[in-house]
Amino acid sequence: MASSAPVAPALSGAVVGFSGGRRLPSVFRPLVAGVAAGVAAGGRSVVVGCAGGADGFVRSAVPGAAVFRAASFGTSRAAFAARSVALVRAVAAGGVGSGLVVFPAAPCPAGLLPSPRSLACFCGLGSGSWASAAFAAGLGVRVVVFPCGFSALPPWGLWRPLAGAWSGGFLLVR
């Protein structure tokens, strides 16, 4: 059973966070589950949110993942952003080998740019997945994006295509 992480779980070593579309179609389940299970098998701590879609696919694939629950941050819509900020900060605190893997279901909103300031990323543009990616990139965290159903990536730097089990993913090189 996945553990609940009210603010920040006690994690040791590298931490890999996962984020993605709440209504990500089930056709992407094998991709999400395969990447998440591979990360866990590699000995890294896995952290994920409490939503459906990509989050749910990760929780099913990695039952021991630390789950960041929005309810731990309040009952308003802002609780989801606060949850995502805490998750990205936990990944950033993981140090070497840590990163954020994102499975967005739509292109990045226009105007969203990487920033180390959470409020600059979680600014109401409508995509928590992309806001998490922008915040992580702004903090210097490695970011991998698997576009799910689209191909356009934001102009944040060079996106290097990955291979093997990570085929279809792109690593942000800044």
Side-chain angles (χ1 to χ4, degrees):
M1 174 153 164
S3 63
S4 178
V7 177
L11 301 168
S12 61
V15 177
V16 177
F18 287 86
S19 180
R22 291 184 308 268
R23 290 177 289 282
L24 192 65
S26 60
V27 68
F28 294 106
R29 177 187 290 268
L31 172 64
V32 175
V35 170
V39 165
R44 289 178 169 82
S45 296
V46 171
V47 296
V48 67
C50 59
D55 286 2
F57 300 161
V58 171
R59 291 192 310 272
S60 293
V62 185
V67 179
F68 283 71
R69 300 188 185 284
S72 298
F73 297 91
T75 57
S76 71
R77 287 181 48 93
F80 289 94
R83 179 233 26 221
S84 296
V85 168
L87 186 148
V88 170
R89 285 187 173 140
V91 171
V96 176
S98 297
L100 182 70
V101 183
V102 185
F103 296 88
C108 182
L112 181 62
L113 297 172
S115 174
R117 294 184 318 107
S118 62
L119 291 177
C121 299
F122 293 89
C123 58
L125 293 177
S127 176
S129 300
W130 282 111
S132 294
F135 184 43
L139 292 175
V141 171
R142 289 173 57 110
V143 174
V144 173
V145 172
F146 285 85
C148 296
F150 64 95
S151 59
L153 292 167
W156 296 349
L158 174 68
W159 292 96
R160 180 178 300 148
L162 302 175
W166 293 75
S167 182
F170 295 85
L171 172 67
L172 176 59
V173 180
R174 299 191 72 201

